């Protein structure tokens, strides 16, 4: 399907992935690449409405399967409206979360298991898989603390996106473990980066990994071989 390059960012809440995604987008644009940035849930007008329902702490009694279905409804809309057209146009697409989040949060956190998530992915995402996934894994306690603090500080009174961040430690531990399981299973696609390093050090690691993949995909020029003039 894809002619461009599809890159996803994953991690626990508060892992710093959104900051890194923005910095990577600027780095790639500076090299002349056409970059499309999107996120899940959200990224489209319909998706933003679904996001409101999913993340609002005031949403109560949402069944785990309903939550799973809403995540995939949002994703199908984002693929149709944003991701597929951008890839067909040859863009590098940077997506803040994708199906690995559903496997980690609904499959692991909500204990629905991986199988139902992967089956829904097949049905609703038309065989689209990331070319590369950057998984930012910071120390577990630190991420959780950062996520809760961030939500308290940044959310305006009428927008409280903390429904997942308020889940207990066990939930987040299961999300963390599932991410590790996904990375071990899909090691050809998923690169784990230690999110406890300073922001600039993480950025350098990410750009080195991504630039190399884009050179291999023919989207960036190859570096001259060492010693060749
Ligand atoms: P974020 O946009 O700040 O990363 O927050 C999105 C939240 O939604 C985060 O807590 C993870 C959760 N989420 C899921 O539970 N399943 C999913 O499939 C996705 C995309 C996100």
């Amino acid at each position: 399907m894809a002619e461009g390059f599809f890159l996803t960012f994953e991690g626990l809440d508060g892992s710093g992935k959104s900051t890194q995604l923005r910095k990577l987008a600027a780095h790639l644009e500076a090299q002349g690449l056409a970059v499309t940035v999107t996120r899940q849930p959200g990224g489209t007008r319909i998706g933003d409405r679904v996001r409101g329902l999913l993340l609002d702490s005031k949403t109560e009694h949402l069944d785990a399967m309903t939550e799973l279905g809403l995540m995939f409804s949002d994703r199908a809309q984002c693929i149709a409206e944003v991701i597929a057209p951008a890839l067909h146009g040859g863009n590098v697409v940077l997506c803040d979360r994708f199906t690995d989040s559903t496997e980690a949060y609904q499959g692991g956190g909500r204990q629905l298991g991986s199988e139902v998530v992967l089956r829904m992915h097949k049905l609703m995402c038309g065989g689209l898989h990331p070319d590369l996934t950057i998984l930012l894994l910071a120390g577990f306690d630190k991420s959780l603390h950062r996520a809760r603090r961030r939500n308290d500080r940044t959310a305006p009174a009428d927008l409280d996106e903390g429904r997942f961040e308020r889940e207990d430690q066990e939930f987040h531990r299961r999300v963390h473990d599932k991410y590790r399981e996904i990375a071990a299973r899909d090691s050809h696609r998923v690169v784990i980066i230690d999110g406890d390093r300073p922001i600039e050090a993480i950025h350098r690691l990410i750009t080195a990994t991504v630039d190399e993949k884009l050179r291999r995909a023919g989207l960036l020029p190859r570096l001259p071989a060492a010693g060749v003039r």
Side-chain angles (χ1 to χ4, degrees), residues 55-187:
L55 302 195
D56 191 337
S57 297
K58 292 192 286 299
T59 299
E60 287 178 339
H61 312 300
L62 187 63
D63 178 72
M65 284 300 280
T66 312
E67 184 179 278
L68 176 73
L70 286 169
M71 291 295 179
F72 273 108
S73 303
D74 162 74
R75 184 159 303 128
Q77 186 67 29
C78 188
I79 291 171
E81 223 179 279
V82 180
I83 299 174
L87 290 174
H88 283 310
N91 285 21
V92 177
V93 176
L94 305 186
C95 191
D96 193 341
R97 300 193 179 280
F98 194 62
T99 296
D100 293 330
S101 281
T102 319
E103 193 175 346
Y105 282 79
Q106 280 66 52
R110 299 271 188 245
Q111 298 181 285
L112 294 178
S114 290
E115 199 196 331
V116 65
V117 176
L118 299 178
R119 283 171 67 181
M120 282 201 63
H121 177 85
K122 218 172 182 178
L123 270 174
M124 296 196 64
C125 302
L128 177 67
H129 293 283
D131 296 300
L132 174 66
T133 297
I134 302 289
L135 171 56
L136 273 172
L137 276 187
F140 177 68
D141 296 334
K142 237 190 209 170
S143 324
L144 204 58
H145 177 68
R146 231 162 35 197
R148 290 189 172 142
R149 215 183 42 195
R150 179 191 59 166
N151 196 53
D152 290 345
R153 203 178 47 226
T154 58
D158 59 340
L159 181 71
D160 176 353
E161 292 200 328
R163 201 170 68 86
F164 286 97
E165 283 143 19
R166 299 226 156 95
E167 289 291 338
D168 63 16
Q169 292 238 357
E170 282 312 303
F171 176 93
H172 290 282
R173 172 65 66 189
R174 289 194 296 273
V175 174
H176 187 269
D177 291 349
K178 186 58 91 174
Y179 266 134
R180 288 212 172 271
E181 192 185 309
I182 295 167
R185 181 191 67 207
D186 291 354
S187 56

